[in-house]
Short mmCIF file of all heavy atoms in Angstrom, two decimals:
data_model
loop_
_atom_site.label_atom_id
_atom_site.label_comp_id
_atom_site.label_asym_id
_atom_site.label_seq_id
_atom_site.Cartn_x
_atom_site.Cartn_y
_atom_site.Cartn_z
N MET V 1 44.13 8.98 -16.33
CA MET V 1 45.10 10.03 -16.66
C MET V 1 44.65 10.80 -17.87
O MET V 1 44.07 10.26 -18.79
CB MET V 1 46.47 9.41 -16.95
CG MET V 1 47.16 8.89 -15.66
SD MET V 1 48.67 8.02 -16.01
CE MET V 1 49.72 9.37 -16.51
N SER V 2 45.01 12.07 -17.90
CA SER V 2 44.59 12.88 -19.04
C SER V 2 45.72 12.98 -20.04
O SER V 2 46.90 13.12 -19.70
CB SER V 2 44.20 14.27 -18.60
OG SER V 2 45.27 14.88 -17.91
N LYS V 3 45.34 12.89 -21.30
CA LYS V 3 46.34 12.95 -22.35
C LYS V 3 46.69 14.40 -22.67
O LYS V 3 45.88 15.31 -22.50
CB LYS V 3 45.78 12.29 -23.60
CG LYS V 3 45.69 10.77 -23.46
CD LYS V 3 45.35 10.15 -24.81
CE LYS V 3 45.48 8.65 -24.74
NZ LYS V 3 45.34 8.02 -26.06
N LYS V 4 47.90 14.61 -23.07
CA LYS V 4 48.38 15.92 -23.51
C LYS V 4 49.22 15.81 -24.77
O LYS V 4 49.78 14.78 -25.08
CB LYS V 4 49.25 16.56 -22.42
CG LYS V 4 48.46 16.97 -21.19
CD LYS V 4 49.26 17.91 -20.32
CE LYS V 4 50.46 17.20 -19.68
NZ LYS V 4 51.09 18.05 -18.61
N TRP V 5 49.25 16.93 -25.50
CA TRP V 5 50.15 16.99 -26.67
C TRP V 5 51.57 17.16 -26.19
O TRP V 5 51.89 18.09 -25.44
CB TRP V 5 49.76 18.16 -27.59
CG TRP V 5 48.47 17.86 -28.35
CD1 TRP V 5 47.26 18.39 -28.06
CD2 TRP V 5 48.32 17.04 -29.49
NE1 TRP V 5 46.34 17.91 -28.97
CE2 TRP V 5 46.96 17.09 -29.82
CE3 TRP V 5 49.19 16.21 -30.20
CZ2 TRP V 5 46.44 16.35 -30.92
CZ3 TRP V 5 48.70 15.49 -31.25
CH2 TRP V 5 47.34 15.54 -31.62
N LYS V 6 52.47 16.29 -26.68
CA LYS V 6 53.86 16.39 -26.32
C LYS V 6 54.74 16.24 -27.57
O LYS V 6 54.38 15.47 -28.47
CB LYS V 6 54.24 15.27 -25.34
CG LYS V 6 53.51 15.38 -23.99
CD LYS V 6 53.84 14.21 -23.10
CE LYS V 6 55.21 14.31 -22.49
NZ LYS V 6 55.30 15.38 -21.49
N LEU V 7 55.83 16.96 -27.57
CA LEU V 7 56.74 16.82 -28.71
C LEU V 7 57.30 15.41 -28.81
O LEU V 7 57.51 14.75 -27.78
CB LEU V 7 57.90 17.81 -28.57
CG LEU V 7 57.55 19.25 -28.89
CD1 LEU V 7 58.78 20.13 -28.62
CD2 LEU V 7 57.05 19.45 -30.31
N PHE V 8 57.48 14.99 -30.01
CA PHE V 8 57.89 13.62 -30.25
C PHE V 8 59.04 13.63 -31.26
O PHE V 8 59.12 14.51 -32.10
CB PHE V 8 56.68 12.85 -30.84
CG PHE V 8 56.90 11.38 -30.96
CD1 PHE V 8 57.01 10.60 -29.84
CD2 PHE V 8 56.93 10.79 -32.20
CE1 PHE V 8 57.20 9.23 -29.94
CE2 PHE V 8 57.10 9.42 -32.33
CZ PHE V 8 57.25 8.64 -31.20
N GLY V 9 59.95 12.71 -31.12
CA GLY V 9 61.14 12.75 -31.92
C GLY V 9 60.92 12.24 -33.33
O GLY V 9 61.52 11.23 -33.72
N ASP V 10 60.11 12.96 -34.09
CA ASP V 10 59.94 12.55 -35.49
C ASP V 10 59.68 13.81 -36.32
O ASP V 10 59.38 14.87 -35.75
CB ASP V 10 58.73 11.60 -35.59
CG ASP V 10 58.91 10.63 -36.74
OD1 ASP V 10 59.66 10.98 -37.70
OD2 ASP V 10 58.32 9.56 -36.70
N GLU V 11 59.84 13.69 -37.57
CA GLU V 11 59.66 14.83 -38.47
C GLU V 11 58.52 14.63 -39.43
O GLU V 11 58.31 13.53 -39.92
CB GLU V 11 60.93 15.09 -39.29
CG GLU V 11 61.99 15.82 -38.56
CD GLU V 11 63.15 16.13 -39.47
OE1 GLU V 11 63.13 15.79 -40.66
OE2 GLU V 11 64.18 16.68 -38.95
N CYS V 12 57.84 15.70 -39.75
CA CYS V 12 56.79 15.67 -40.76
C CYS V 12 57.41 15.42 -42.13
O CYS V 12 58.39 16.09 -42.49
CB CYS V 12 56.07 17.04 -40.75
SG CYS V 12 54.88 17.19 -42.08
N PRO V 13 56.86 14.48 -42.87
CA PRO V 13 57.42 14.18 -44.21
C PRO V 13 57.09 15.26 -45.25
O PRO V 13 57.68 15.27 -46.32
CB PRO V 13 56.79 12.85 -44.57
CG PRO V 13 55.47 12.85 -43.83
CD PRO V 13 55.73 13.59 -42.55
N ILE V 14 56.18 16.15 -44.93
CA ILE V 14 55.81 17.16 -45.89
C ILE V 14 56.60 18.46 -45.65
O ILE V 14 57.24 18.99 -46.56
CB ILE V 14 54.29 17.48 -45.81
CG1 ILE V 14 53.52 16.29 -46.31
CG2 ILE V 14 53.99 18.76 -46.61
CD1 ILE V 14 52.00 16.46 -46.27
N CYS V 15 56.62 18.98 -44.43
CA CYS V 15 57.28 20.25 -44.19
C CYS V 15 58.52 20.14 -43.32
O CYS V 15 59.24 21.12 -43.15
CB CYS V 15 56.28 21.24 -43.59
SG CYS V 15 55.82 20.87 -41.89
N GLY V 16 58.81 18.96 -42.76
CA GLY V 16 60.03 18.77 -41.98
C GLY V 16 59.96 19.34 -40.58
O GLY V 16 60.97 19.33 -39.88
N SER V 17 58.79 19.81 -40.16
CA SER V 17 58.69 20.31 -38.80
C SER V 17 58.52 19.19 -37.80
O SER V 17 58.39 18.02 -38.18
CB SER V 17 57.47 21.27 -38.71
OG SER V 17 57.70 22.40 -39.48
N GLU V 18 58.52 19.57 -36.53
CA GLU V 18 58.43 18.54 -35.47
C GLU V 18 57.03 17.96 -35.39
O GLU V 18 56.04 18.63 -35.60
CB GLU V 18 58.84 19.16 -34.15
CG GLU V 18 60.29 19.47 -34.01
CD GLU V 18 60.60 19.98 -32.64
OE1 GLU V 18 60.43 21.18 -32.41
OE2 GLU V 18 61.03 19.18 -31.78
N ALA V 19 57.02 16.73 -34.94
CA ALA V 19 55.75 16.05 -34.67
C ALA V 19 55.46 16.14 -33.15
O ALA V 19 56.37 16.21 -32.35
CB ALA V 19 55.85 14.59 -35.10
N GLU V 20 54.20 16.10 -32.82
CA GLU V 20 53.80 15.94 -31.43
C GLU V 20 52.73 14.88 -31.36
O GLU V 20 52.01 14.59 -32.31
CB GLU V 20 53.35 17.27 -30.83
CG GLU V 20 52.18 17.91 -31.54
CD GLU V 20 51.80 19.23 -30.91
OE1 GLU V 20 52.47 19.69 -29.97
OE2 GLU V 20 50.82 19.83 -31.37
N VAL V 21 52.67 14.24 -30.18
CA VAL V 21 51.75 13.15 -29.99
C VAL V 21 50.80 13.48 -28.84
O VAL V 21 51.15 14.17 -27.91
CB VAL V 21 52.50 11.82 -29.66
CG1 VAL V 21 53.23 11.36 -30.90
CG2 VAL V 21 53.44 12.01 -28.51
N PHE V 22 49.60 12.96 -28.93
CA PHE V 22 48.58 13.13 -27.91
C PHE V 22 48.61 11.87 -27.05
O PHE V 22 48.07 10.81 -27.42
CB PHE V 22 47.22 13.32 -28.58
CG PHE V 22 46.15 13.85 -27.63
CD1 PHE V 22 46.36 15.04 -26.96
CD2 PHE V 22 44.98 13.13 -27.42
CE1 PHE V 22 45.38 15.53 -26.10
CE2 PHE V 22 44.02 13.62 -26.55
CZ PHE V 22 44.23 14.82 -25.92
N THR V 23 49.25 12.00 -25.88
CA THR V 23 49.55 10.77 -25.11
C THR V 23 49.50 11.04 -23.63
O THR V 23 49.60 12.17 -23.18
CB THR V 23 50.95 10.26 -25.50
OG1 THR V 23 51.25 9.05 -24.81
CG2 THR V 23 52.04 11.29 -25.15
N ASP V 24 49.37 9.98 -22.88
CA ASP V 24 49.46 10.13 -21.43
C ASP V 24 50.81 9.66 -20.90
O ASP V 24 51.03 9.51 -19.72
CB ASP V 24 48.32 9.42 -20.67
CG ASP V 24 48.20 7.96 -21.05
OD1 ASP V 24 49.09 7.41 -21.70
OD2 ASP V 24 47.13 7.38 -20.71
N SER V 25 51.74 9.43 -21.83
CA SER V 25 53.12 9.17 -21.46
C SER V 25 53.70 10.35 -20.72
O SER V 25 53.44 11.47 -21.07
CB SER V 25 53.93 8.84 -22.74
OG SER V 25 55.30 8.84 -22.38
N LYS V 26 54.53 10.11 -19.72
CA LYS V 26 55.04 11.25 -18.90
C LYS V 26 56.28 11.85 -19.56
O LYS V 26 56.65 12.97 -19.22
CB LYS V 26 55.43 10.74 -17.51
CG LYS V 26 54.24 10.34 -16.64
CD LYS V 26 54.71 10.19 -15.21
CE LYS V 26 53.68 9.51 -14.33
NZ LYS V 26 53.52 8.07 -14.66
N ASP V 27 56.97 11.11 -20.39
CA ASP V 27 58.25 11.56 -20.89
C ASP V 27 58.19 12.03 -22.34
O ASP V 27 57.53 11.40 -23.18
CB ASP V 27 59.26 10.44 -20.77
CG ASP V 27 59.44 9.98 -19.32
OD1 ASP V 27 59.65 10.86 -18.48
OD2 ASP V 27 59.33 8.76 -19.09
N ASP V 28 58.93 13.10 -22.62
CA ASP V 28 59.01 13.56 -24.01
C ASP V 28 59.63 12.47 -24.84
O ASP V 28 60.56 11.79 -24.40
CB ASP V 28 59.89 14.80 -24.08
CG ASP V 28 59.16 16.04 -23.56
OD1 ASP V 28 57.94 15.97 -23.35
OD2 ASP V 28 59.83 17.05 -23.31
N GLY V 29 59.17 12.33 -26.05
CA GLY V 29 59.73 11.36 -26.98
C GLY V 29 59.16 9.96 -26.81
O GLY V 29 59.55 9.07 -27.53
N PHE V 30 58.28 9.78 -25.85
CA PHE V 30 57.66 8.47 -25.65
C PHE V 30 56.16 8.58 -25.89
O PHE V 30 55.53 9.57 -25.62
CB PHE V 30 57.94 7.95 -24.25
CG PHE V 30 59.36 7.49 -24.07
CD1 PHE V 30 60.32 8.37 -23.72
CD2 PHE V 30 59.70 6.14 -24.30
CE1 PHE V 30 61.64 7.97 -23.57
CE2 PHE V 30 61.01 5.74 -24.15
CZ PHE V 30 61.96 6.63 -23.78
N ALA V 31 55.66 7.50 -26.43
CA ALA V 31 54.21 7.45 -26.67
C ALA V 31 53.77 5.98 -26.70
O ALA V 31 54.60 5.09 -26.67
CB ALA V 31 53.87 8.13 -28.00
N TYR V 32 52.47 5.83 -26.77
CA TYR V 32 51.94 4.46 -26.78
C TYR V 32 51.38 4.13 -28.15
O TYR V 32 51.01 5.01 -28.92
CB TYR V 32 50.85 4.31 -25.69
CG TYR V 32 51.39 4.51 -24.31
CD1 TYR V 32 51.04 5.61 -23.55
CD2 TYR V 32 52.29 3.58 -23.78
CE1 TYR V 32 51.55 5.79 -22.26
CE2 TYR V 32 52.79 3.73 -22.49
CZ TYR V 32 52.42 4.84 -21.74
OH TYR V 32 52.92 5.01 -20.48
N ASP V 33 51.28 2.84 -28.39
CA ASP V 33 50.77 2.37 -29.68
C ASP V 33 49.42 3.00 -29.99
O ASP V 33 48.52 3.02 -29.13
CB ASP V 33 50.64 0.84 -29.58
CG ASP V 33 50.50 0.23 -30.97
OD1 ASP V 33 51.07 0.76 -31.92
OD2 ASP V 33 49.82 -0.78 -31.06
N ASP V 34 49.32 3.55 -31.16
CA ASP V 34 48.08 4.13 -31.69
C ASP V 34 47.69 5.48 -31.09
O ASP V 34 46.57 5.97 -31.26
CB ASP V 34 46.92 3.14 -31.51
CG ASP V 34 45.88 3.34 -32.62
OD1 ASP V 34 46.26 3.65 -33.75
OD2 ASP V 34 44.67 3.15 -32.34
N ASP V 35 48.61 6.11 -30.35
CA ASP V 35 48.35 7.49 -29.96
C ASP V 35 48.26 8.40 -31.17
O ASP V 35 48.94 8.19 -32.17
CB ASP V 35 49.51 8.01 -29.05
CG ASP V 35 49.36 7.55 -27.63
OD1 ASP V 35 48.26 7.15 -27.23
OD2 ASP V 35 50.36 7.62 -26.90
N ASP V 36 47.39 9.41 -31.06
CA ASP V 36 47.28 10.35 -32.18
C ASP V 36 48.53 11.19 -32.28
O ASP V 36 49.19 11.45 -31.31
CB ASP V 36 46.07 11.26 -31.96
CG ASP V 36 44.75 10.53 -32.19
OD1 ASP V 36 44.74 9.55 -32.96
OD2 ASP V 36 43.75 10.96 -31.60
N ASP V 37 48.76 11.66 -33.48
CA ASP V 37 49.98 12.40 -33.76
C ASP V 37 49.65 13.46 -34.79
O ASP V 37 48.77 13.35 -35.60
CB ASP V 37 50.99 11.40 -34.35
CG ASP V 37 52.21 12.07 -34.92
OD1 ASP V 37 52.14 12.58 -36.05
OD2 ASP V 37 53.21 12.09 -34.20
N ARG V 38 50.36 14.58 -34.69
CA ARG V 38 50.18 15.65 -35.68
C ARG V 38 51.48 16.45 -35.86
O ARG V 38 52.31 16.49 -34.96
CB ARG V 38 49.03 16.58 -35.28
CG ARG V 38 49.38 17.48 -34.12
CD ARG V 38 48.19 18.32 -33.72
NE ARG V 38 48.55 19.15 -32.53
CZ ARG V 38 47.69 19.84 -31.84
NH1 ARG V 38 46.40 19.81 -32.14
NH2 ARG V 38 48.09 20.55 -30.82
N CYS V 39 51.57 17.09 -37.00
CA CYS V 39 52.66 18.02 -37.23
C CYS V 39 52.34 19.34 -36.60
O CYS V 39 51.22 19.88 -36.79
CB CYS V 39 52.86 18.17 -38.77
SG CYS V 39 53.99 19.47 -39.18
N VAL V 40 53.28 19.94 -35.90
CA VAL V 40 53.00 21.21 -35.24
C VAL V 40 52.84 22.33 -36.24
O VAL V 40 52.26 23.37 -35.93
CB VAL V 40 54.15 21.61 -34.26
CG1 VAL V 40 54.27 20.58 -33.13
CG2 VAL V 40 55.47 21.76 -34.98
N GLU V 41 53.33 22.15 -37.45
CA GLU V 41 53.32 23.23 -38.45
C GLU V 41 52.15 23.12 -39.40
O GLU V 41 51.35 24.05 -39.53
CB GLU V 41 54.65 23.23 -39.21
CG GLU V 41 54.90 24.49 -40.01
CD GLU V 41 54.99 25.73 -39.13
OE1 GLU V 41 55.54 25.63 -38.01
OE2 GLU V 41 54.50 26.79 -39.56
N CYS V 42 52.03 22.04 -40.08
CA CYS V 42 51.03 21.92 -41.14
C CYS V 42 49.81 21.09 -40.71
O CYS V 42 48.82 21.03 -41.43
CB CYS V 42 51.64 21.38 -42.44
SG CYS V 42 52.03 19.60 -42.39
N GLY V 43 49.89 20.43 -39.57
CA GLY V 43 48.73 19.71 -39.04
C GLY V 43 48.52 18.35 -39.65
O GLY V 43 47.46 17.72 -39.39
N LEU V 44 49.46 17.84 -40.38
CA LEU V 44 49.36 16.49 -40.93
C LEU V 44 49.17 15.52 -39.76
O LEU V 44 49.83 15.62 -38.73
CB LEU V 44 50.64 16.13 -41.71
CG LEU V 44 50.69 14.72 -42.31
CD1 LEU V 44 49.67 14.59 -43.42
CD2 LEU V 44 52.07 14.42 -42.81
N GLU V 45 48.25 14.57 -39.93
CA GLU V 45 47.92 13.67 -38.84
C GLU V 45 48.44 12.27 -39.08
O GLU V 45 48.65 11.83 -40.21
CB GLU V 45 46.39 13.60 -38.68
CG GLU V 45 45.82 14.93 -38.25
CD GLU V 45 44.32 14.87 -38.10
OE1 GLU V 45 43.68 13.97 -38.70
OE2 GLU V 45 43.76 15.76 -37.44
N GLY V 46 48.66 11.58 -37.95
CA GLY V 46 49.12 10.18 -38.05
C GLY V 46 48.84 9.45 -36.75
O GLY V 46 48.13 9.96 -35.87
N ASN V 47 49.42 8.28 -36.63
CA ASN V 47 49.32 7.47 -35.43
C ASN V 47 50.69 6.94 -35.06
O ASN V 47 51.53 6.72 -35.92
CB ASN V 47 48.37 6.32 -35.63
CG ASN V 47 46.93 6.78 -35.79
OD1 ASN V 47 46.42 6.99 -36.87
ND2 ASN V 47 46.28 6.98 -34.65
N VAL V 48 50.85 6.70 -33.78
CA VAL V 48 52.11 6.15 -33.31
C VAL V 48 52.08 4.61 -33.50
O VAL V 48 51.09 3.95 -33.21
CB VAL V 48 52.34 6.47 -31.82
CG1 VAL V 48 53.55 5.72 -31.28
CG2 VAL V 48 52.52 7.95 -31.66
N ILE V 49 53.17 4.11 -34.01
CA ILE V 49 53.36 2.68 -34.14
C ILE V 49 54.53 2.29 -33.29
O ILE V 49 55.60 2.94 -33.29
CB ILE V 49 53.71 2.29 -35.61
CG1 ILE V 49 52.63 2.81 -36.57
CG2 ILE V 49 53.90 0.78 -35.75
CD1 ILE V 49 51.29 2.16 -36.43
N ILE V 50 54.40 1.24 -32.50
CA ILE V 50 55.51 0.76 -31.68
C ILE V 50 56.19 -0.40 -32.40
O ILE V 50 55.60 -1.41 -32.68
CB ILE V 50 55.01 0.28 -30.30
CG1 ILE V 50 54.22 1.35 -29.60
CG2 ILE V 50 56.23 -0.16 -29.46
CD1 ILE V 50 54.98 2.62 -29.32
N GLY V 51 57.47 -0.17 -32.70
CA GLY V 51 58.26 -1.20 -33.35
C GLY V 51 58.91 -2.13 -32.37
O GLY V 51 58.63 -2.07 -31.16
N ASP V 52 59.78 -2.96 -32.84
CA ASP V 52 60.52 -3.85 -31.97
C ASP V 52 61.52 -3.05 -31.15
O ASP V 52 62.07 -2.06 -31.59
CB ASP V 52 61.30 -4.87 -32.80
CG ASP V 52 60.32 -5.80 -33.53
OD1 ASP V 52 59.23 -6.04 -33.01
OD2 ASP V 52 60.67 -6.26 -34.63
N GLU V 53 61.79 -3.49 -29.94
CA GLU V 53 62.79 -2.82 -29.13
C GLU V 53 64.15 -2.93 -29.75
O GLU V 53 64.51 -3.96 -30.33
CB GLU V 53 62.81 -3.45 -27.72
CG GLU V 53 61.71 -2.97 -26.82
CD GLU V 53 61.92 -3.47 -25.42
OE1 GLU V 53 63.04 -3.44 -24.91
OE2 GLU V 53 60.92 -3.89 -24.81
N ASP V 54 64.93 -1.87 -29.60
CA ASP V 54 66.28 -1.95 -30.07
C ASP V 54 67.22 -1.87 -28.88
O ASP V 54 66.84 -1.58 -27.75
CB ASP V 54 66.61 -0.89 -31.12
CG ASP V 54 66.49 0.49 -30.57
OD1 ASP V 54 66.92 0.74 -29.40
OD2 ASP V 54 65.97 1.38 -31.27
N ASP V 55 68.52 -2.12 -29.09
CA ASP V 55 69.48 -2.17 -28.01
C ASP V 55 70.24 -0.88 -27.84
O ASP V 55 71.16 -0.78 -27.05
CB ASP V 55 70.50 -3.28 -28.26
CG ASP V 55 69.83 -4.63 -28.27
OD1 ASP V 55 68.87 -4.83 -27.51
OD2 ASP V 55 70.23 -5.49 -29.07
N ASN V 56 69.86 0.13 -28.58
CA ASN V 56 70.62 1.37 -28.58
C ASN V 56 70.05 2.42 -27.62
O ASN V 56 70.49 3.56 -27.61
CB ASN V 56 70.69 1.97 -30.00
CG ASN V 56 71.28 0.99 -30.98
OD1 ASN V 56 72.24 0.31 -30.66
ND2 ASN V 56 70.71 0.93 -32.16
N GLY V 57 69.05 2.04 -26.88
CA GLY V 57 68.41 3.01 -26.00
C GLY V 57 67.51 3.96 -26.76
O GLY V 57 67.01 4.90 -26.21
N GLY V 58 67.33 3.69 -28.03
CA GLY V 58 66.47 4.54 -28.84
C GLY V 58 65.01 4.22 -28.60
O GLY V 58 64.66 3.17 -28.12
N CYS V 59 64.17 5.18 -28.92
CA CYS V 59 62.75 4.98 -28.80
C CYS V 59 62.24 4.13 -29.96
O CYS V 59 62.47 4.50 -31.12
CB CYS V 59 62.01 6.31 -28.75
SG CYS V 59 60.25 6.13 -28.61
N PRO V 60 61.63 3.01 -29.75
CA PRO V 60 61.21 2.15 -30.81
C PRO V 60 59.90 2.62 -31.47
O PRO V 60 59.45 2.04 -32.44
CB PRO V 60 60.99 0.81 -30.11
CG PRO V 60 60.63 1.17 -28.71
CD PRO V 60 61.39 2.44 -28.40
N ALA V 61 59.34 3.70 -30.95
CA ALA V 61 58.07 4.18 -31.51
C ALA V 61 58.35 5.11 -32.70
O ALA V 61 59.33 5.83 -32.72
CB ALA V 61 57.28 4.93 -30.46
N TYR V 62 57.48 5.07 -33.67
CA TYR V 62 57.58 6.01 -34.79
C TYR V 62 56.18 6.37 -35.27
O TYR V 62 55.19 5.78 -34.84
CB TYR V 62 58.43 5.44 -35.91
CG TYR V 62 57.88 4.15 -36.54
CD1 TYR V 62 57.03 4.25 -37.65
CD2 TYR V 62 58.14 2.93 -36.01
CE1 TYR V 62 56.50 3.13 -38.22
CE2 TYR V 62 57.61 1.75 -36.56
CZ TYR V 62 56.82 1.87 -37.69
OH TYR V 62 56.29 0.75 -38.24
N VAL V 63 56.12 7.36 -36.13
CA VAL V 63 54.84 7.85 -36.57
C VAL V 63 54.47 7.28 -37.94
O VAL V 63 55.26 7.26 -38.87
CB VAL V 63 54.88 9.39 -36.69
CG1 VAL V 63 53.56 9.90 -37.26
CG2 VAL V 63 55.13 10.00 -35.30
N SER V 64 53.24 6.80 -38.03
CA SER V 64 52.67 6.43 -39.31
C SER V 64 51.80 7.57 -39.76
O SER V 64 50.76 7.81 -39.17
CB SER V 64 51.87 5.11 -39.18
OG SER V 64 51.21 4.84 -40.37
N TRP V 65 52.23 8.31 -40.76
CA TRP V 65 51.47 9.49 -41.22
C TRP V 65 50.31 9.09 -42.12
O TRP V 65 50.50 8.33 -43.05
CB TRP V 65 52.41 10.45 -41.95
CG TRP V 65 53.50 10.98 -41.09
CD1 TRP V 65 54.78 10.53 -41.04
CD2 TRP V 65 53.40 12.04 -40.12
NE1 TRP V 65 55.47 11.26 -40.08
CE2 TRP V 65 54.67 12.19 -39.54
CE3 TRP V 65 52.36 12.88 -39.74
CZ2 TRP V 65 54.92 13.16 -38.57
CZ3 TRP V 65 52.60 13.84 -38.77
CH2 TRP V 65 53.88 13.97 -38.22
N SER V 66 49.17 9.72 -41.84
CA SER V 66 47.94 9.33 -42.59
C SER V 66 48.10 9.44 -44.09
O SER V 66 47.73 8.56 -44.80
CB SER V 66 46.78 10.22 -42.12
OG SER V 66 46.56 10.03 -40.77
N ASP V 67 48.63 10.56 -44.52
CA ASP V 67 48.71 10.81 -45.99
C ASP V 67 49.69 9.90 -46.66
O ASP V 67 49.74 9.82 -47.89
CB ASP V 67 49.10 12.25 -46.26
CG ASP V 67 47.91 13.19 -46.00
OD1 ASP V 67 46.87 12.71 -45.46
OD2 ASP V 67 48.02 14.39 -46.32
N PHE V 68 50.49 9.19 -45.88
CA PHE V 68 51.46 8.30 -46.48
C PHE V 68 51.07 6.82 -46.33
O PHE V 68 51.81 5.93 -46.68
CB PHE V 68 52.85 8.57 -45.90
CG PHE V 68 53.46 9.83 -46.49
CD1 PHE V 68 52.91 11.05 -46.16
CD2 PHE V 68 54.53 9.72 -47.36
CE1 PHE V 68 53.47 12.20 -46.72
CE2 PHE V 68 55.06 10.87 -47.91
CZ PHE V 68 54.55 12.11 -47.58
N ASP V 69 49.87 6.65 -45.79
CA ASP V 69 49.27 5.32 -45.80
C ASP V 69 48.13 5.34 -46.80
O ASP V 69 47.91 6.33 -47.49
CB ASP V 69 48.74 4.95 -44.42
CG ASP V 69 49.85 4.91 -43.39
OD1 ASP V 69 50.97 4.60 -43.79
OD2 ASP V 69 49.57 5.21 -42.23
N ASP V 70 47.35 4.29 -46.88
CA ASP V 70 46.20 4.32 -47.81
C ASP V 70 44.98 4.82 -47.09
O ASP V 70 43.88 4.29 -47.25
CB ASP V 70 45.99 2.92 -48.40
CG ASP V 70 45.97 1.84 -47.35
OD1 ASP V 70 46.30 2.13 -46.16
OD2 ASP V 70 45.62 0.71 -47.68
N ASP V 71 45.17 5.84 -46.31
CA ASP V 71 44.09 6.44 -45.55
C ASP V 71 43.68 7.78 -46.22
O ASP V 71 44.54 8.61 -46.49
CB ASP V 71 44.61 6.70 -44.13
CG ASP V 71 43.52 7.11 -43.18
OD1 ASP V 71 42.53 7.70 -43.62
OD2 ASP V 71 43.65 6.81 -41.98
N GLU V 72 42.41 7.91 -46.48
CA GLU V 72 41.99 9.08 -47.27
C GLU V 72 41.68 10.31 -46.39
O GLU V 72 41.21 11.30 -46.92
CB GLU V 72 40.72 8.72 -48.05
CG GLU V 72 41.01 7.77 -49.24
CD GLU V 72 41.88 8.43 -50.30
OE1 GLU V 72 41.44 9.48 -50.84
OE2 GLU V 72 42.95 7.93 -50.57
N GLU V 73 41.98 10.27 -45.11
CA GLU V 73 41.71 11.43 -44.27
C GLU V 73 42.49 12.63 -44.79
O GLU V 73 43.68 12.54 -45.09
CB GLU V 73 42.19 11.12 -42.84
CG GLU V 73 41.07 10.82 -41.90
CD GLU V 73 41.57 10.72 -40.48
OE1 GLU V 73 41.96 9.60 -40.10
OE2 GLU V 73 41.60 11.75 -39.80
N THR V 74 41.85 13.75 -44.89
CA THR V 74 42.50 14.93 -45.39
C THR V 74 42.66 16.01 -44.31
O THR V 74 41.90 16.06 -43.36
CB THR V 74 41.74 15.53 -46.58
OG1 THR V 74 40.36 15.63 -46.24
CG2 THR V 74 41.89 14.63 -47.82
N VAL V 75 43.61 16.86 -44.53
CA VAL V 75 43.83 17.99 -43.65
C VAL V 75 42.95 19.14 -44.09
O VAL V 75 42.92 19.45 -45.29
CB VAL V 75 45.32 18.41 -43.69
CG1 VAL V 75 45.54 19.56 -42.72
CG2 VAL V 75 46.20 17.23 -43.37
N SER V 76 42.24 19.72 -43.19
CA SER V 76 41.32 20.77 -43.56
C SER V 76 42.03 22.06 -43.89
O SER V 76 43.10 22.35 -43.35
CB SER V 76 40.30 21.02 -42.44
OG SER V 76 40.98 21.41 -41.26
ZN1 LIG F 101 54.15 19.36 -41.49
#
């Protein structure tokens, strides 16, 4: 399957814009562990982390943003 950029239910911690993920998941708001992620506005990069399942029907995945970890990758 080919991966595509899809909007993801998370916000950029720098500019507050929407995040999108590079995933082969079929549904918006879903992604797989370690899928690439970026902010649609400023291009901040991250990775998807899958947390524990919750009972609220919410998506347990969230974004780990590069600049907010101890990762020195910079945005060009
Ligand atoms: Zn941003």
Side-chain angles (χ1 to χ4, degrees):
M1 288 174 71
S2 57
K3 290 189 171 188
K4 289 195 292 192
W5 286 104
K6 297 176 75 69
L7 285 176
F8 188 68
D10 209 336
E11 279 185 4
C12 173
I14 292 179
C15 71
S17 294
E18 288 184 277
E20 58 182 3
V21 290
F22 194 58
T23 183
D24 55 13
S25 168
K26 292 192 191 72
D27 300 310
D28 286 346
F30 286 86
Y32 297 111
D33 196 33
D34 210 34
D35 278 342
D36 288 333
D37 171 279
R38 72 183 177 190
C39 170
V40 297
E41 194 63 36
C42 73
L44 180 67
E45 295 178 341
N47 291 94
V48 172
I49 305 291
I50 306 298
D52 295 328
E53 281 188 42
D54 62 41
D55 297 324
N56 302 320
C59 181
Y62 62 93
V63 175
S64 174
W65 297 99
S66 298
D67 285 8
F68 283 69
D69 299 330
D70 50 350
D71 190 332
E72 288 293 302
E73 256 188 272
T74 49
V75 182
S76 59

